[in-house]
Amino acid sequence: MKLPSTFETLVQEAETLHLYNKLIKQVNKDFLLANIDLDFEDDILPSSLKHLLHEVIYKLIQEKFAEYLNLLYIVDVSEEKIKQLDGSDTLKLSEQVTFLVLQREWQKVWFKNYYRR
């Protein structure tokens, strides 16, 4: 599996494979496991998903760093990928982390769908 390199590609691939709703459910599931009060509707627009997720991750980095780290652990975002990011600009960092979270969630959904067959 080749991971999508942009948010737009990720969403396009998820919609093409009819897995966008499963992606939303996976995000909701992992946020619940991380004790973060966030529950996206199944029909949320991709742009809204990206914006709201970015906002939540930004606030976690700024105000609840331990919960942020727990979320990364629960979602299983690669520590190496996180270390490669530039942390000097929190807004930009949170945007990049948002994509890494969605990318990892997409990977989980894709593998579950692929190996379910």
Side-chain angles (χ1 to χ4, degrees), residues 86-101:
D86 177 14
S88 62
D89 180 355
T90 309
L91 190 62
K92 187 173 181 175
L93 172 69
S94 60
E95 184 179 341
Q96 293 168 333
V97 170
T98 298
F99 179 68
L100 290 177
V101 166

PDB file of all heavy atoms in Angstrom, residues 86-101:
ATOM      1  N   ASP A  86       9.128  19.998  12.028  1.00  0.00           N
ATOM      2  CA  ASP A  86       9.682  21.200  12.651  1.00  0.00           C
ATOM      3  C   ASP A  86       8.672  21.725  13.658  1.00  0.00           C
ATOM      4  O   ASP A  86       7.570  22.112  13.298  1.00  0.00           O
ATOM      5  CB  ASP A  86       9.959  22.251  11.571  1.00  0.00           C
ATOM      6  CG  ASP A  86      10.481  23.559  12.139  1.00  0.00           C
ATOM      7  OD1 ASP A  86      10.885  23.586  13.325  1.00  0.00           O
ATOM      8  OD2 ASP A  86      10.491  24.555  11.401  1.00  0.00           O
ATOM      9  N   GLY A  87       9.059  21.744  14.921  1.00  0.00           N
ATOM     10  CA  GLY A  87       8.149  22.158  15.982  1.00  0.00           C
ATOM     11  C   GLY A  87       8.212  23.627  16.331  1.00  0.00           C
ATOM     12  O   GLY A  87       7.624  24.054  17.315  1.00  0.00           O
ATOM     13  N   SER A  88       8.888  24.432  15.525  1.00  0.00           N
ATOM     14  CA  SER A  88       9.040  25.852  15.867  1.00  0.00           C
ATOM     15  C   SER A  88       7.752  26.655  15.650  1.00  0.00           C
ATOM     16  O   SER A  88       7.534  27.659  16.300  1.00  0.00           O
ATOM     17  CB  SER A  88      10.183  26.477  15.069  1.00  0.00           C
ATOM     18  OG  SER A  88       9.899  26.421  13.687  1.00  0.00           O
ATOM     19  N   ASP A  89       6.896  26.198  14.760  1.00  0.00           N
ATOM     20  CA  ASP A  89       5.626  26.865  14.498  1.00  0.00           C
ATOM     21  C   ASP A  89       4.502  25.887  14.853  1.00  0.00           C
ATOM     22  O   ASP A  89       4.242  24.936  14.122  1.00  0.00           O
ATOM     23  CB  ASP A  89       5.535  27.265  13.029  1.00  0.00           C
ATOM     24  CG  ASP A  89       4.244  27.976  12.670  1.00  0.00           C
ATOM     25  OD1 ASP A  89       3.350  28.092  13.534  1.00  0.00           O
ATOM     26  OD2 ASP A  89       4.127  28.417  11.512  1.00  0.00           O
ATOM     27  N   THR A  90       3.832  26.127  15.975  1.00  0.00           N
ATOM     28  CA  THR A  90       2.823  25.200  16.480  1.00  0.00           C
ATOM     29  C   THR A  90       1.655  25.032  15.521  1.00  0.00           C
ATOM     30  O   THR A  90       1.123  23.932  15.371  1.00  0.00           O
ATOM     31  CB  THR A  90       2.309  25.653  17.857  1.00  0.00           C
ATOM     32  OG1 THR A  90       3.427  25.899  18.699  1.00  0.00           O
ATOM     33  CG2 THR A  90       1.439  24.605  18.503  1.00  0.00           C
ATOM     34  N   LEU A  91       1.265  26.096  14.858  1.00  0.00           N
ATOM     35  CA  LEU A  91       0.149  26.010  13.920  1.00  0.00           C
ATOM     36  C   LEU A  91       0.488  25.086  12.747  1.00  0.00           C
ATOM     37  O   LEU A  91      -0.297  24.207  12.384  1.00  0.00           O
ATOM     38  CB  LEU A  91      -0.222  27.408  13.409  1.00  0.00           C
ATOM     39  CG  LEU A  91      -1.507  27.502  12.607  1.00  0.00           C
ATOM     40  CD1 LEU A  91      -2.702  27.085  13.448  1.00  0.00           C
ATOM     41  CD2 LEU A  91      -1.690  28.901  12.070  1.00  0.00           C
ATOM     42  N   LYS A  92       1.681  25.258  12.206  1.00  0.00           N
ATOM     43  CA  LYS A  92       2.122  24.417  11.090  1.00  0.00           C
ATOM     44  C   LYS A  92       2.335  22.970  11.564  1.00  0.00           C
ATOM     45  O   LYS A  92       1.964  22.024  10.868  1.00  0.00           O
ATOM     46  CB  LYS A  92       3.409  24.972  10.485  1.00  0.00           C
ATOM     47  CG  LYS A  92       3.837  24.267   9.230  1.00  0.00           C
ATOM     48  CD  LYS A  92       5.003  24.950   8.567  1.00  0.00           C
ATOM     49  CE  LYS A  92       5.380  24.205   7.303  1.00  0.00           C
ATOM     50  NZ  LYS A  92       6.421  24.867   6.553  1.00  0.00           N
ATOM     51  N   LEU A  93       2.908  22.818  12.753  1.00  0.00           N
ATOM     52  CA  LEU A  93       3.121  21.485  13.315  1.00  0.00           C
ATOM     53  C   LEU A  93       1.794  20.750  13.475  1.00  0.00           C
ATOM     54  O   LEU A  93       1.672  19.589  13.084  1.00  0.00           O
ATOM     55  CB  LEU A  93       3.832  21.588  14.677  1.00  0.00           C
ATOM     56  CG  LEU A  93       3.954  20.288  15.460  1.00  0.00           C
ATOM     57  CD1 LEU A  93       4.915  19.334  14.768  1.00  0.00           C
ATOM     58  CD2 LEU A  93       4.410  20.558  16.881  1.00  0.00           C
ATOM     59  N   SER A  94       0.795  21.442  14.025  1.00  0.00           N
ATOM     60  CA  SER A  94      -0.494  20.795  14.251  1.00  0.00           C
ATOM     61  C   SER A  94      -1.158  20.413  12.920  1.00  0.00           C
ATOM     62  O   SER A  94      -1.832  19.392  12.831  1.00  0.00           O
ATOM     63  CB  SER A  94      -1.411  21.689  15.087  1.00  0.00           C
ATOM     64  OG  SER A  94      -1.657  22.912  14.445  1.00  0.00           O
ATOM     65  N   GLU A  95      -0.951  21.210  11.900  1.00  0.00           N
ATOM     66  CA  GLU A  95      -1.485  20.882  10.578  1.00  0.00           C
ATOM     67  C   GLU A  95      -0.825  19.610  10.033  1.00  0.00           C
ATOM     68  O   GLU A  95      -1.496  18.724   9.499  1.00  0.00           O
ATOM     69  CB  GLU A  95      -1.247  22.047   9.621  1.00  0.00           C
ATOM     70  CG  GLU A  95      -1.840  21.846   8.249  1.00  0.00           C
ATOM     71  CD  GLU A  95      -1.598  23.037   7.327  1.00  0.00           C
ATOM     72  OE1 GLU A  95      -1.308  24.143   7.815  1.00  0.00           O
ATOM     73  OE2 GLU A  95      -1.705  22.836   6.108  1.00  0.00           O
ATOM     74  N   GLN A  96       0.474  19.506  10.199  1.00  0.00           N
ATOM     75  CA  GLN A  96       1.200  18.327   9.724  1.00  0.00           C
ATOM     76  C   GLN A  96       0.823  17.087  10.527  1.00  0.00           C
ATOM     77  O   GLN A  96       0.667  15.996   9.971  1.00  0.00           O
ATOM     78  CB  GLN A  96       2.708  18.579   9.786  1.00  0.00           C
ATOM     79  CG  GLN A  96       3.163  19.632   8.807  1.00  0.00           C
ATOM     80  CD  GLN A  96       4.599  20.095   9.052  1.00  0.00           C
ATOM     81  OE1 GLN A  96       5.094  20.045  10.176  1.00  0.00           O
ATOM     82  NE2 GLN A  96       5.247  20.566   8.001  1.00  0.00           N
ATOM     83  N   VAL A  97       0.658  17.243  11.830  1.00  0.00           N
ATOM     84  CA  VAL A  97       0.267  16.124  12.693  1.00  0.00           C
ATOM     85  C   VAL A  97      -1.147  15.674  12.341  1.00  0.00           C
ATOM     86  O   VAL A  97      -1.435  14.479  12.325  1.00  0.00           O
ATOM     87  CB  VAL A  97       0.393  16.488  14.188  1.00  0.00           C
ATOM     88  CG1 VAL A  97      -0.241  15.430  15.065  1.00  0.00           C
ATOM     89  CG2 VAL A  97       1.854  16.686  14.556  1.00  0.00           C
ATOM     90  N   THR A  98      -2.019  16.616  12.036  1.00  0.00           N
ATOM     91  CA  THR A  98      -3.382  16.282  11.623  1.00  0.00           C
ATOM     92  C   THR A  98      -3.346  15.363  10.412  1.00  0.00           C
ATOM     93  O   THR A  98      -4.047  14.351  10.374  1.00  0.00           O
ATOM     94  CB  THR A  98      -4.181  17.560  11.286  1.00  0.00           C
ATOM     95  OG1 THR A  98      -4.266  18.369  12.454  1.00  0.00           O
ATOM     96  CG2 THR A  98      -5.568  17.232  10.776  1.00  0.00           C
ATOM     97  N   PHE A  99      -2.508  15.695   9.442  1.00  0.00           N
ATOM     98  CA  PHE A  99      -2.407  14.845   8.260  1.00  0.00           C
ATOM     99  C   PHE A  99      -1.830  13.473   8.615  1.00  0.00           C
ATOM    100  O   PHE A  99      -2.318  12.447   8.126  1.00  0.00           O
ATOM    101  CB  PHE A  99      -1.572  15.498   7.155  1.00  0.00           C
ATOM    102  CG  PHE A  99      -1.450  14.619   5.948  1.00  0.00           C
ATOM    103  CD1 PHE A  99      -2.558  14.341   5.161  1.00  0.00           C
ATOM    104  CD2 PHE A  99      -0.238  14.038   5.618  1.00  0.00           C
ATOM    105  CE1 PHE A  99      -2.463  13.504   4.061  1.00  0.00           C
ATOM    106  CE2 PHE A  99      -0.129  13.202   4.518  1.00  0.00           C
ATOM    107  CZ  PHE A  99      -1.247  12.941   3.733  1.00  0.00           C
ATOM    108  N   LEU A 100      -0.819  13.429   9.485  1.00  0.00           N
ATOM    109  CA  LEU A 100      -0.244  12.143   9.881  1.00  0.00           C
ATOM    110  C   LEU A 100      -1.280  11.267  10.594  1.00  0.00           C
ATOM    111  O   LEU A 100      -1.317  10.051  10.391  1.00  0.00           O
ATOM    112  CB  LEU A 100       0.985  12.346  10.776  1.00  0.00           C
ATOM    113  CG  LEU A 100       2.223  12.927  10.099  1.00  0.00           C
ATOM    114  CD1 LEU A 100       3.337  13.140  11.122  1.00  0.00           C
ATOM    115  CD2 LEU A 100       2.710  12.023   8.972  1.00  0.00           C
ATOM    116  N   VAL A 101      -2.104  11.889  11.427  1.00  0.00           N
ATOM    117  CA  VAL A 101      -3.167  11.147  12.115  1.00  0.00           C
ATOM    118  C   VAL A 101      -4.146  10.585  11.084  1.00  0.00           C
ATOM    119  O   VAL A 101      -4.483   9.395  11.122  1.00  0.00           O
ATOM    120  CB  VAL A 101      -3.891  12.046  13.152  1.00  0.00           C
ATOM    121  CG1 VAL A 101      -5.198  11.414  13.619  1.00  0.00           C
ATOM    122  CG2 VAL A 101      -2.980  12.331  14.336  1.00  0.00           C
TER     123      VAL A 101
END
